[in-house]
Amino acid sequence: MPPQNEPPKMPIDGVRNLITIGSGKGGVGKTTVSVNLAIALARLGQKVGLLDADVYGPNVPLMMGIHDTPYAVENRIQPLEQHGVKLMSMGFLNPGDKPLIWRGPMLHSVMQQFMRQVDWGELDFLLIDLPPGTGDVALSLIQTAPITGAIVVSTPSEVALEDGRKAVLMFRQVKVELLGLVENMSYLIVPGTGQKVDIFGEGGGRRTAEAMDIPFLGELPLNPQVRIGGDTGRPIALMGEQEPQAEGFYAIAKQVIARCSAGPLRKAPSFSIED
Ligand SMILES: Nc1ncnc2c1ncn2[C@@H]1O[C@H](COP(=O)(O)OP(=O)(O)OP(=O)(O)O)[C@@H](O)[C@H]1O
């Protein structure tokens, strides 16, 4: 049972599955996985929203190729929509290169508004792209919302995995179900020669997932087209499931659908930070 002083985890109206995408380390491709997974889920027939919780470095608008300003109707913020995905990001409200200089309580309140005062409508999946690490924003979200499951993204390098393990342990400590680990930038196929190069080491993601007893959701190669897709606002998942360069994202999306429709994950886990 949650302790008496713990705030209740209020469900988000109309949202069936709330999935957080986190990483220990920055720059490992968490937002890249988030946008491509969102598009893949939408293309597989799911109703999808993506909340960019990386308030200090919100890259979702750029990667989804949309820079409008959301408006409010009767105190409810209307999410923007692009590539079949409903979107909300601090980048829509604070566009450009101006840094946001906010402390914890302000972040907490804006995240609550993004979850609960945005007119998400009916969604099968609301994905939350967390900021890297195990800090305030991640914890505040996890403490207040019934997270269905968490995905952790890491490269196979030991440095990234060390921090990835901390993210896994954070979710475990707050009793959020781990949907699994995604290994990004797993290897590079050299254009022209077809040679496979393990730039960040080989197999580290799978080994870590096995050691921590969480599902391994798959490897995503380092691929210049993935970077270009992000930089131009046309994520590679838009090319569809049949496109070999996008199929890894669809394979992850299918596992997420399978796990989340299975039943028990739909129930909000109880939370206790003291455990
Ligand atoms: N599989 C990949 N192949 C090629 N480039 C990639 C791949 N994954 C990510 N990138 C590129 O690496 C850079 C960092 O990715 P991204 O912004 O998704 O990381 P992140 O973990 O969300 O970073 P942070 O949260 O620290 O801002 C981006 O330029 C992105 O396009």
Side-chain angles (χ1 to χ4, degrees), residues 43-108:
R43 293 277 166 117
L44 291 169
Q46 306 293 308
K47 295 195 190 86
V48 186
L50 172 58
L51 193 170
D52 183 358
D54 198 344
V55 277
Y56 293 122
N59 298 135
V60 166
L62 174 74
M63 287 201 193
M64 291 295 272
I66 181 164
H67 297 281
D68 290 348
T69 308
Y71 59 92
V73 176
E74 290 170 5
N75 258 348
R76 307 273 296 163
I77 308 167
Q78 302 304 302
L80 299 178
E81 188 161 346
Q82 181 82 323
H83 306 318
V85 177
K86 290 186 178 171
L87 300 167
M88 181 48 63
S89 168
M90 188 43 87
F92 296 140
L93 308 178
N94 181 42
D97 295 332
K98 207 164 74 221
L100 195 70
I101 307 169
W102 280 356
R103 289 191 194 278
M106 194 71 181
L107 293 178
H108 176 81

Coordinates of all heavy atoms in Angstrom, one line a residue, residues 43-108:
R43 N 1.2 4.2 -37.2 CA 1.0 3.5 -38.5 C 0.5 2.1 -38.3 O -0.1 1.5 -39.2 CB 2.4 3.4 -39.2 CG 2.9 4.8 -39.7 CD 2.2 5.1 -41.0 NE 2.4 6.5 -41.3 CZ 3.1 6.9 -42.4 NH1 3.7 6.1 -43.2 NH2 3.2 8.2 -42.6
L44 N 0.6 1.5 -37.1 CA 0.1 0.2 -36.8 C -1.3 0.3 -36.3 O -1.9 -0.7 -35.8 CB 1.0 -0.5 -35.8 CG 2.4 -0.9 -36.3 CD1 3.3 -1.4 -35.2 CD2 2.3 -2.0 -37.4
G45 N -1.9 1.5 -36.4 CA -3.3 1.6 -36.1 C -3.7 2.1 -34.7 O -4.9 2.1 -34.3
Q46 N -2.7 2.5 -33.9 CA -2.9 3.0 -32.6 C -3.1 4.5 -32.6 O -2.6 5.2 -33.4 CB -1.7 2.6 -31.7 CG -1.3 1.2 -31.7 CD -2.4 0.2 -31.1 OE1 -2.8 0.5 -30.0 NE2 -2.8 -0.8 -31.9
K47 N -3.9 4.9 -31.6 CA -4.1 6.4 -31.4 C -2.9 6.8 -30.4 O -2.9 6.3 -29.3 CB -5.4 6.7 -30.7 CG -6.6 6.4 -31.7 CD -7.8 7.1 -31.1 CE -9.1 6.6 -31.8 NZ -9.6 5.3 -31.2
V48 N -2.1 7.7 -30.9 CA -0.9 8.0 -30.1 C -0.6 9.5 -29.9 O -0.9 10.3 -30.7 CB 0.4 7.5 -31.0 CG1 1.6 7.6 -30.2 CG2 0.2 6.0 -31.4
G49 N -0.2 9.8 -28.7 CA 0.3 11.1 -28.3 C 1.8 11.0 -27.8 O 2.2 9.9 -27.4
L50 N 2.5 12.1 -28.0 CA 3.9 12.1 -27.5 C 4.1 13.4 -26.7 O 3.9 14.5 -27.3 CB 4.8 12.1 -28.7 CG 6.3 12.3 -28.5 CD1 6.9 11.3 -27.5 CD2 7.1 12.2 -29.8
L51 N 4.4 13.3 -25.5 CA 4.7 14.4 -24.6 C 6.2 14.5 -24.4 O 6.8 13.6 -24.0 CB 4.0 14.1 -23.3 CG 3.8 15.3 -22.3 CD1 2.9 14.9 -21.1 CD2 5.1 15.8 -21.7
D52 N 6.7 15.7 -24.8 CA 8.2 15.9 -24.7 C 8.4 16.5 -23.4 O 8.2 17.7 -23.1 CB 8.5 16.9 -25.8 CG 10.0 17.2 -25.9 OD1 10.8 16.7 -25.1 OD2 10.4 18.0 -26.8
A53 N 8.9 15.7 -22.5 CA 9.2 16.1 -21.1 C 10.6 16.6 -20.9 O 11.0 16.9 -19.8 CB 8.9 15.0 -20.1
D54 N 11.3 16.7 -22.0 CA 12.7 17.2 -21.9 C 12.6 18.7 -22.0 O 12.9 19.3 -23.1 CB 13.5 16.6 -23.1 CG 15.0 16.7 -22.8 OD1 15.4 17.5 -21.9 OD2 15.8 16.0 -23.5
V55 N 12.3 19.4 -20.9 CA 12.0 20.8 -21.0 C 13.2 21.7 -21.3 O 13.1 22.7 -21.9 CB 11.3 21.3 -19.7 CG1 9.9 21.1 -19.6 CG2 12.0 20.7 -18.5
Y56 N 14.4 21.2 -20.9 CA 15.6 22.0 -21.1 C 16.1 21.8 -22.5 O 16.8 22.7 -23.1 CB 16.7 21.7 -20.1 CG 16.3 22.0 -18.7 CD1 16.3 21.1 -17.7 CD2 16.0 23.4 -18.4 CE1 15.9 21.4 -16.4 CE2 15.7 23.7 -17.1 CZ 15.7 22.8 -16.1 OH 15.3 23.1 -14.8
G57 N 15.8 20.7 -23.1 CA 16.3 20.5 -24.5 C 15.3 19.8 -25.3 O 15.4 18.6 -25.8
P58 N 14.1 20.5 -25.6 CA 13.0 19.8 -26.2 C 13.3 19.7 -27.8 O 13.2 20.7 -28.5 CB 11.8 20.8 -26.0 CG 12.4 22.1 -25.7 CD 13.8 21.9 -25.3
N59 N 13.6 18.5 -28.2 CA 13.9 18.3 -29.6 C 12.7 17.7 -30.4 O 12.8 17.5 -31.6 CB 15.1 17.4 -29.7 CG 16.4 17.9 -29.1 OD1 17.1 17.3 -28.4 ND2 16.6 19.2 -29.4
V60 N 11.6 17.4 -29.7 CA 10.5 16.7 -30.5 C 10.0 17.6 -31.6 O 9.8 17.1 -32.7 CB 9.4 16.3 -29.5 CG1 8.1 15.9 -30.2 CG2 9.9 15.1 -28.7
P61 N 9.8 19.0 -31.4 CA 9.3 19.8 -32.5 C 10.2 19.7 -33.7 O 9.7 19.5 -34.8 CB 9.3 21.2 -31.9 CG 9.1 21.0 -30.4 CD 9.9 19.7 -30.1
L62 N 11.5 19.8 -33.5 CA 12.4 19.7 -34.7 C 12.3 18.3 -35.4 O 12.2 18.2 -36.6 CB 13.8 19.9 -34.2 CG 14.9 19.7 -35.3 CD1 14.9 20.9 -36.3 CD2 16.3 19.6 -34.7
M63 N 12.3 17.3 -34.5 CA 12.4 15.9 -35.1 C 11.0 15.5 -35.8 O 11.0 14.7 -36.7 CB 12.7 14.9 -34.0 CG 14.2 14.9 -33.7 SD 14.7 13.4 -32.9 CE 16.3 13.9 -32.2
M64 N 9.9 16.2 -35.3 CA 8.6 15.9 -35.9 C 8.3 16.9 -37.0 O 7.3 16.8 -37.6 CB 7.5 15.8 -34.9 CG 7.6 14.6 -33.9 SD 7.4 13.0 -34.7 CE 5.6 12.9 -34.7
G65 N 9.2 17.9 -37.1 CA 9.0 18.9 -38.2 C 7.8 19.8 -38.0 O 7.0 20.0 -39.0
I66 N 7.6 20.3 -36.8 CA 6.4 21.2 -36.6 C 6.8 22.2 -35.5 O 7.4 21.9 -34.5 CB 5.2 20.4 -36.1 CG1 4.0 21.3 -35.9 CG2 5.4 19.5 -34.9 CD1 2.7 20.6 -35.9
H67 N 6.5 23.5 -35.9 CA 6.9 24.6 -35.0 C 5.7 25.6 -34.7 O 6.0 26.7 -34.6 CB 8.1 25.3 -35.6 CG 9.3 24.4 -35.8 ND1 10.1 24.1 -34.7 CD2 9.8 23.7 -36.8 CE1 11.1 23.3 -35.1 NE2 10.9 23.0 -36.4
D68 N 4.5 25.1 -34.7 CA 3.4 26.0 -34.4 C 3.3 26.2 -32.9 O 4.0 25.7 -32.1 CB 2.1 25.3 -34.9 CG 2.0 25.3 -36.4 OD1 2.9 25.9 -37.0 OD2 1.2 24.5 -37.0
T69 N 2.3 27.1 -32.6 CA 2.0 27.4 -31.2 C 0.6 26.8 -30.9 O -0.3 27.1 -31.6 CB 2.0 28.9 -30.9 OG1 3.2 29.5 -31.5 CG2 1.9 29.2 -29.5
P70 N 0.6 26.0 -29.8 CA -0.8 25.4 -29.5 C -1.7 26.5 -28.9 O -1.2 27.5 -28.3 CB -0.4 24.4 -28.4 CG 1.0 24.4 -28.2 CD 1.6 25.6 -28.9
Y71 N -3.0 26.4 -29.1 CA -3.9 27.3 -28.5 C -4.8 26.6 -27.5 O -4.8 25.4 -27.4 CB -4.7 28.0 -29.6 CG -5.5 27.1 -30.4 CD1 -6.8 26.8 -30.1 CD2 -5.0 26.5 -31.6 CE1 -7.6 25.9 -30.8 CE2 -5.7 25.6 -32.3 CZ -7.0 25.3 -32.0 OH -7.7 24.4 -32.7
A72 N -5.5 27.4 -26.7 CA -6.3 26.8 -25.6 C -7.8 27.0 -25.9 O -8.1 28.0 -26.5 CB -6.0 27.4 -24.3
V73 N -8.6 26.0 -25.6 CA -10.0 26.2 -25.7 C -10.6 25.8 -24.4 O -10.4 24.7 -23.8 CB -10.6 25.2 -26.8 CG1 -12.1 25.3 -26.8 CG2 -10.0 25.4 -28.2
E74 N -11.3 26.8 -23.8 CA -11.9 26.6 -22.5 C -10.9 26.1 -21.5 O -11.1 25.0 -20.9 CB -13.1 25.8 -22.5 CG -14.3 26.5 -23.2 CD -15.4 25.6 -23.5 OE1 -15.4 24.4 -23.1 OE2 -16.4 26.0 -24.1
N75 N -9.7 26.7 -21.4 CA -8.7 26.3 -20.5 C -8.0 25.0 -20.7 O -7.2 24.5 -19.9 CB -9.3 26.2 -19.0 CG -8.9 27.4 -18.2 OD1 -8.0 28.2 -18.7 ND2 -9.5 27.6 -17.1
R76 N -8.3 24.3 -21.9 CA -7.7 23.1 -22.2 C -6.7 23.4 -23.4 O -7.2 23.9 -24.4 CB -8.7 22.0 -22.7 CG -9.8 21.8 -21.7 CD -9.4 20.7 -20.7 NE -9.2 19.4 -21.2 CZ -8.6 18.4 -20.6 NH1 -8.1 18.7 -19.4 NH2 -8.4 17.3 -21.1
I77 N -5.5 23.0 -23.3 CA -4.5 23.2 -24.4 C -4.8 22.2 -25.5 O -4.9 21.0 -25.2 CB -3.1 23.1 -23.9 CG1 -2.8 23.9 -22.6 CG2 -2.1 23.4 -25.0 CD1 -1.5 23.6 -21.9
Q78 N -4.8 22.7 -26.7 CA -5.1 21.7 -27.8 C -3.7 21.2 -28.3 O -2.8 22.0 -28.7 CB -5.8 22.4 -29.0 CG -7.1 23.0 -28.6 CD -8.1 22.0 -28.0 OE1 -8.4 21.0 -28.6 NE2 -8.5 22.2 -26.7
P79 N -3.5 19.9 -28.3 CA -2.1 19.5 -28.7 C -2.0 19.7 -30.2 O -3.0 19.8 -31.0 CB -2.2 17.9 -28.5 CG -3.6 17.6 -28.4 CD -4.4 18.8 -28.0
L80 N -0.8 19.8 -30.7 CA -0.5 19.9 -32.1 C -0.5 18.5 -32.7 O -0.5 17.5 -31.9 CB 0.8 20.6 -32.4 CG 0.9 22.0 -31.9 CD1 2.3 22.6 -32.2 CD2 -0.2 22.9 -32.6
E81 N -0.6 18.3 -34.0 CA -0.6 17.0 -34.5 C 0.3 16.9 -35.8 O 0.2 17.8 -36.6 CB -2.1 16.5 -34.9 CG -2.1 15.1 -35.3 CD -3.5 14.5 -35.2 OE1 -4.4 15.1 -34.6 OE2 -3.7 13.4 -35.7
Q82 N 1.1 15.9 -35.8 CA 2.0 15.8 -37.0 C 2.3 14.3 -37.2 O 2.5 13.6 -36.2 CB 3.3 16.6 -36.7 CG 4.3 16.5 -37.8 CD 4.0 17.6 -38.9 OE1 2.9 17.8 -39.3 NE2 5.1 18.1 -39.5
H83 N 2.3 13.9 -38.4 CA 2.6 12.5 -38.8 C 1.7 11.5 -38.0 O 2.1 10.4 -37.6 CB 4.1 12.1 -38.5 CG 5.1 13.0 -39.1 ND1 5.0 13.5 -40.4 CD2 6.2 13.6 -38.7 CE1 6.0 14.3 -40.7 NE2 6.8 14.4 -39.7
G84 N 0.4 12.0 -37.8 CA -0.5 11.1 -37.1 C -0.4 11.0 -35.6 O -1.0 10.1 -35.0
V85 N 0.4 11.9 -35.0 CA 0.7 11.8 -33.6 C 0.4 13.1 -32.9 O 0.8 14.2 -33.5 CB 2.2 11.5 -33.4 CG1 2.5 11.4 -31.9 CG2 2.6 10.1 -34.0
K86 N -0.3 13.1 -31.8 CA -0.6 14.3 -31.1 C 0.6 14.7 -30.3 O 1.2 13.8 -29.7 CB -1.8 14.1 -30.2 CG -3.1 14.0 -31.0 CD -4.3 13.9 -30.1 CE -5.6 13.9 -30.9 NZ -6.8 13.6 -30.1
L87 N 0.9 16.0 -30.2 CA 2.2 16.4 -29.6 C 2.0 17.5 -28.6 O 1.3 18.5 -28.9 CB 3.1 16.9 -30.7 CG 3.4 15.9 -31.8 CD1 4.1 16.6 -33.0 CD2 4.4 14.8 -31.3
M88 N 2.8 17.5 -27.6 CA 3.0 18.7 -26.7 C 4.5 18.7 -26.3 O 5.1 17.7 -25.9 CB 2.1 18.6 -25.5 CG 2.2 19.8 -24.6 SD 2.1 21.4 -25.4 CE 0.4 21.3 -26.1
S89 N 5.0 20.0 -26.3 CA 6.4 20.1 -26.0 C 6.6 21.6 -25.5 O 6.0 22.5 -26.0 CB 7.3 19.9 -27.2 OG 8.6 20.3 -27.0
M90 N 7.6 21.7 -24.6 CA 8.0 23.1 -24.2 C 8.5 23.8 -25.4 O 8.5 25.1 -25.4 CB 9.0 22.9 -23.1 CG 9.4 24.2 -22.4 SD 8.0 25.3 -22.0 CE 7.5 24.7 -20.5
G91 N 9.1 23.1 -26.3 CA 9.6 23.8 -27.5 C 8.5 24.5 -28.3 O 8.8 25.5 -29.1
F92 N 7.3 24.2 -28.2 CA 6.2 24.9 -28.8 C 5.9 26.3 -28.1 O 5.4 27.2 -28.7 CB 4.9 24.1 -28.9 CG 5.0 22.9 -29.7 CD1 4.3 21.7 -29.2 CD2 5.6 22.8 -30.9 CE1 4.4 20.5 -29.9 CE2 5.7 21.6 -31.6 CZ 5.1 20.5 -31.1
L93 N 6.2 26.3 -26.8 CA 5.9 27.5 -26.0 C 7.1 28.4 -25.8 O 7.0 29.5 -25.6 CB 5.4 27.0 -24.6 CG 4.2 26.0 -24.6 CD1 3.8 25.6 -23.2 CD2 3.0 26.6 -25.4
N94 N 8.3 27.8 -26.0 CA 9.5 28.6 -25.8 C 10.4 28.3 -27.0 O 11.4 27.6 -26.9 CB 10.2 28.2 -24.5 CG 11.5 29.0 -24.3 OD1 11.5 30.2 -24.6 ND2 12.5 28.3 -23.9
P95 N 10.0 28.7 -28.2 CA 10.7 28.3 -29.4 C 12.1 29.0 -29.5 O 12.3 30.0 -28.8 CB 9.8 28.7 -30.6 CG 8.9 29.7 -30.0 CD 8.8 29.5 -28.5
G96 N 12.9 28.5 -30.4 CA 14.2 29.2 -30.6 C 15.3 28.6 -29.7 O 15.1 27.6 -29.1
D97 N 16.3 29.4 -29.6 CA 17.5 29.0 -28.8 C 17.5 29.5 -27.4 O 18.5 29.3 -26.6 CB 18.8 29.4 -29.5 CG 18.9 28.7 -30.9 OD1 18.3 27.6 -31.0 OD2 19.5 29.3 -31.8
K98 N 16.5 30.2 -27.0 CA 16.5 30.8 -25.6 C 16.4 29.7 -24.6 O 15.5 28.9 -24.6 CB 15.3 31.8 -25.5 CG 15.5 32.9 -24.5 CD 14.5 34.0 -24.7 CE 13.2 33.6 -24.2 NZ 12.0 33.6 -24.2
P99 N 17.4 29.7 -23.6 CA 17.3 28.6 -22.7 C 16.2 28.9 -21.6 O 15.8 30.0 -21.3 CB 18.7 28.7 -22.0 CG 19.1 30.1 -22.1 CD 18.5 30.6 -23.4
L100 N 15.7 27.8 -21.1 CA 14.6 27.9 -20.1 C 15.4 27.7 -18.7 O 16.1 26.7 -18.5 CB 13.7 26.7 -20.3 CG 12.4 26.8 -19.5 CD1 11.5 27.9 -20.1 CD2 11.6 25.5 -19.7
I101 N 15.2 28.7 -17.8 CA 15.9 28.6 -16.6 C 14.9 28.5 -15.5 O 14.4 29.5 -14.9 CB 16.8 29.8 -16.4 CG1 17.7 30.0 -17.6 CG2 17.7 29.7 -15.1 CD1 18.5 31.3 -17.7
W102 N 14.5 27.2 -15.2 CA 13.5 27.0 -14.2 C 14.0 26.0 -13.2 O 14.8 25.1 -13.5 CB 12.3 26.3 -14.9 CG 11.4 27.3 -15.6 CD1 11.5 28.6 -15.6 CD2 10.2 26.9 -16.3 NE1 10.4 29.1 -16.3 CE2 9.7 28.1 -16.8 CE3 9.6 25.7 -16.7 CZ2 8.5 28.2 -17.6 CZ3 8.5 25.8 -17.4 CH2 7.9 27.0 -17.9
R103 N 13.4 26.1 -12.0 CA 13.7 25.1 -10.9 C 12.6 24.1 -10.8 O 11.5 24.2 -11.4 CB 14.0 25.8 -9.6 CG 15.2 26.6 -9.6 CD 15.5 27.0 -8.2 NE 16.5 28.1 -8.1 CZ 17.8 27.8 -8.2 NH1 18.3 26.6 -8.3 NH2 18.7 28.8 -8.1
G104 N 12.8 23.1 -9.9 CA 12.0 21.9 -9.8 C 10.5 22.2 -9.7 O 9.7 21.6 -10.5
P105 N 10.0 23.0 -8.8 CA 8.6 23.2 -8.6 C 7.9 23.7 -9.9 O 6.8 23.2 -10.2 CB 8.4 24.3 -7.5 CG 9.7 24.2 -6.8 CD 10.8 23.8 -7.8
M106 N 8.5 24.6 -10.6 CA 7.9 25.1 -11.8 C 7.8 23.9 -12.9 O 6.8 23.8 -13.6 CB 8.9 26.2 -12.3 CG 8.3 27.0 -13.4 SD 7.1 28.1 -12.7 CE 6.6 28.9 -14.2
L107 N 8.9 23.1 -12.9 CA 8.9 22.0 -13.9 C 7.8 21.0 -13.5 O 7.1 20.5 -14.4 CB 10.2 21.2 -13.8 CG 11.4 22.0 -14.3 CD1 12.7 21.1 -14.1 CD2 11.3 22.4 -15.7
H108 N 7.6 20.8 -12.2 CA 6.6 19.9 -11.8 C 5.2 20.4 -12.3 O 4.4 19.6 -12.8 CB 6.6 19.8 -10.2 CG 5.5 18.9 -9.7 ND1 5.6 17.6 -9.6 CD2 4.3 19.3 -9.2 CE1 4.5 17.1 -9.1 NE2 3.7 18.1 -8.8

